[in-house]
Amino acid sequence: MIDSIPPVVPPGRMRALRQPEFDLPHGMRLRPWAAPRDAPALVDCFLDPDIRHWNRPSRLDLPGAEERITRFHERWQAEEAAIWAIAPATGGPALGLIGLADLDLPGGSGEILYWLLPAGRGTGVMVPATTHVTRWAFDDLGLHRVRITHSVANPASCAVATKAGFPLEGTMRGALLHADGWHDEHLHARLRTDYPG
Ligand SMILES: CC(C)(COP(=O)(O)OP(=O)(O)OC[C@H]1O[C@@H](n2cnc3c(N)ncnc32)[C@H](O)[C@@H]1OP(=O)(O)O)[C@@H](O)C(=O)NCCC(=O)NCCS
């Protein structure tokens, strides 16, 4: 960013914030990832054909998954990404992930990504999870713009983005390589000035 424009989010602000937790409907909760309890979810996400196809996760064994969880916390401290587990509030292991990644803190933007293991699907929990992360991104972190992108062939993700208040801005042609080839991607985004709404 050029010197005459101050950073939207100054360096150090994110690492000074404690990662918050949020209650979700259906007895679920957004909380930081914890090892070893949540490591199996990161192994299992690669085994699920839908997550493997749409999110393109790495294949991990349990030690690798524990390292990945350590990396999630390092990435918060490095102000690179904010990654939450979606898990039963009673303390059970993670059933899903929602994160704010591709952070450009000087430019004030980031991208939400998410997945749920099959056991976590069908209750609508990802819409309020997206709303909590978005409010945090605007109110606490201070971003200006948050986006969600997904293949045009993934209507469930499109429904989550739209219901969470991210209007469709357009279609990016040939934007992401999946196992079956290049996919056009929908771009949804929300501005801080859209909130609340
Ligand atoms: C995307 C995902 C997080 C959505 O979570 P979910 O619990 O399955 O979603 P819900 O059951 O709450 O459904 C959300 C909306 O999508 C709709 N939907 C779900 N599956 C659908 C499908 N296959 N086709 C069309 N609409 C679908 C639902 O009807 C619902 O809309 P409604 O509330 O208006 O009825 C989850 O399906 C998932 O993790 N999928 C695999 C990985 C993935 O797609 N990740 C996103 C990459 S961008």
Side-chain angles (χ1 to χ4, degrees), residues 1 38 56 60 63 68 77 109 128 132 146 152 164 182 191 195:
M1 180 154 285
D38 296 325
R56 312 180 312 163
L60 296 172
R68 182 62 57 90
Q77 288 304 314
S109 71
H132 279 301
V146 177
V152 296
W182 291 98
L191 302 182
Y195 168 77

Side-chain angles (χ1 to χ4, degrees), residues 50-51 54-55 114-116 120-124 126 149-150 154-157 159-160 163:
D50 294 324
I51 300 173
W54 296 125
N55 296 89
Y114 43 63
W115 52 256
L116 286 169
R121 289 182 201 154
T123 66
M126 196 54 86
T149 66
H150 64 83
N154 188 350
S157 186
V160 169
K163 292 179 84 169

Side-chain angles (χ1 to χ4, degrees), residues 2 4 35 56 61 63 72 80-81 88 103 108 112 152 155 164 174-175 178 180-182 191 194:
I2 57 175
S4 59
R56 312 180 312 163
D61 56 13
F72 288 165
E80 292 173 356
L103 277 173
I112 287 182
V152 296
H178 290 278
D180 58 352
W182 291 98
L191 302 182
D194 294 337

Side-chain angles (χ1 to χ4, degrees), residues 6 31 36-37 42 75-76 84 91 104 121 127 134 149 156-157 181 189:
R31 59 159 174 78
R37 175 177 42 165
L42 292 182
R75 292 188 77 197
W76 182 288
W84 281 264
D104 171 7
R121 289 182 201 154
V127 173
T134 305
T149 66
S157 186

Side-chain angles (χ1 to χ4, degrees), residues 29-112:
R29 192 163 169 82
L30 274 183
R31 59 159 174 78
W33 283 79
R37 175 177 42 165
D38 296 325
L42 292 182
V43 175
D44 290 348
C45 76
F46 182 84
L47 305 177
D48 176 71
D50 294 324
I51 300 173
R52 189 163 70 238
H53 188 62
W54 296 125
N55 296 89
R56 312 180 312 163
S58 312
R59 183 201 294 268
L60 296 172
D61 56 13
L62 278 175
E66 291 189 21
E67 282 173 25
R68 182 62 57 90
I69 291 169
T70 301
R71 182 76 189 122
F72 288 165
H73 295 285
E74 290 171 350
R75 292 188 77 197
W76 182 288
Q77 288 304 314
E79 305 194 315
E80 292 173 356
I83 315 281
W84 281 264
I86 299 173
T90 48
L95 292 173
L97 174 149
I98 183 165
L100 189 58
D102 207 9
L103 277 173
D104 171 7
L105 295 180
S109 71
E111 177 163 339
I112 287 182

